[in-house]
Amino acid sequence: MKRVDILSRLEKTGVVAVVRGATKEEALKASHAIIEGGMTGIELTFTVPQAAEVIKELVAVYNDRLDVVIGAGTVLDALTARLAIMAGAEYVVSPSFDIKTAELCNLYQIPYLPGCMTITEVQEALKSGADIVKLFPGSVYGPSIISAFMAPMPQASIMPTGGVNLANMADWFKAGAVTVGVGGDLLAPAAAGDFQTVTETARQYVAKLKEIKG
C-alpha cells in the first residue's frame, strides 16, 4: 500500500521539479521556494553536494504535508538508492535503467522511475517493476513519441523530463504523459540567488497545470 500511496500522490503533483544546485544551501532554498509557489513534487538530484542530507531536511520540514512528495534524482546505482531511501526519499529517479536499483527499490516498496529512450528500454524497465518510466531526455523526441511508445505498450506510464517547459507542457499531457519533470527555466534564477523568481515561476507552472487539467 505504501508504494501505491506514493504513486498516487506523485501523480497528483502533476509537475515534478528537478532540483539541482551548486551547494546544499542553494538546493534547500530552491526547494522551499518551489513548494512556496505551489509545486509539491521535488526530485532532489544526487549531483547536489550532500544530497542525502538535503533530502533528510526536506522530509523533516514537510513531514506533515501529504501533498508534498520528496524523491531522489540522478541515482546511478543501488548504493545511492539505498542512501536516498534511508534519508527519506519517497521515490527514486535515474537517468538510465539499472536492474540492481530496480530490485532494491522493489525491496523497500519505493517507486523507481528509470530514464529510457527506446521501446526496448521501456520494456525492460516495465519487466523489472518500474511503475513510471522517465522519458529522458524528452527534448530529443518531442511529445509525439509518447503515443508512439504507448501504441504497443498502452500500460506504460510515462513522465517526460528534459525540454519540458511552460510553452509545451500542454502538448506533453495531451500526448499522454502521466506527469512531467521540469528544471531548466524553473531553477535558473536560483543560481543567482533569486529565489523569489523561482517561486513566481513555480506559480506559473501550477496555474498552467490547472488550465491543462481543467
Side-chain angles (χ1 to χ4, degrees):
M1 290 301 293
K2 173 184 177 181
R3 185 168 178 164
V4 173
D5 174 63
I6 294 171
L7 284 166
S8 176
R9 290 165 55 219
L10 185 60
E11 185 174 348
K12 284 179 182 177
T13 67
V15 185
V16 175
V18 182
V19 178
R20 303 186 185 277
T23 65
K24 171 185 174 181
E25 292 72 24
E26 180 185 321
L28 274 170
K29 289 180 180 178
S31 297
H32 293 316
I34 289 165
I35 294 171
E36 182 181 343
M39 289 178 64
T40 54
I42 299 292
E43 176 191 327
L44 197 289
T45 68
F46 264 78
T47 55
V48 173
Q50 301 168 289
E53 292 183 21
V54 178
I55 291 171
K56 188 174 182 179
E57 289 190 35
L58 289 173
V59 169
V61 171
Y62 298 103
N63 186 52
D64 61 344
R65 290 273 305 270
L66 293 179
D67 59 325
V68 175
V69 191
I70 308 296
T74 321
V75 175
L76 302 179
D77 51 46
L79 175 59
T80 305
R82 190 173 188 280
L83 287 172
I85 293 168
M86 292 301 101
E90 296 184 277
Y91 62 98
V92 169
V93 186
S94 298
S96 57
F97 173 70
D98 179 68
I99 183 61
K100 294 297 183 183
T101 301
E103 290 173 349
L104 184 121
C105 289
N106 285 336
L107 175 64
Y108 287 99
Q109 285 296 286
I110 293 292
Y112 176 48
L113 289 66
C116 298
M117 283 189 70
T118 68
I119 195 69
T120 300
E121 291 175 344
V122 172
Q123 180 177 342
E124 288 304 305
L126 294 178
K127 283 167 59 179
S128 301
D131 300 286
I132 298 175
V133 173
K134 171 185 173 181
L135 178 66
F136 180 78
S139 56
V140 172
Y141 290 120
S144 63
I145 193 62
I146 293 183
S147 55
F149 279 177
M150 293 182 69
M153 292 187 182
Q155 74 276 22
S157 294
I158 298 176
M159 179 182 81
T161 303
V164 180
N165 53 48
L166 286 164
N168 64 23
M169 192 167 74
D171 294 331
W172 283 106
F173 277 108
K174 185 177 180 180
V178 65
T179 186
V180 298
V182 300
D185 62 335
L186 176 64
L187 271 298
D194 185 1
F195 299 102
Q196 182 57 45
T197 297
V198 173
T199 296
E200 291 170 1
T201 305
R203 290 195 180 109
Q204 291 176 32
Y205 271 102
V206 172
K208 189 66 176 180
L209 181 65
K210 288 180 179 178
E211 177 187 319
I212 292 167
K213 296 292 186 178

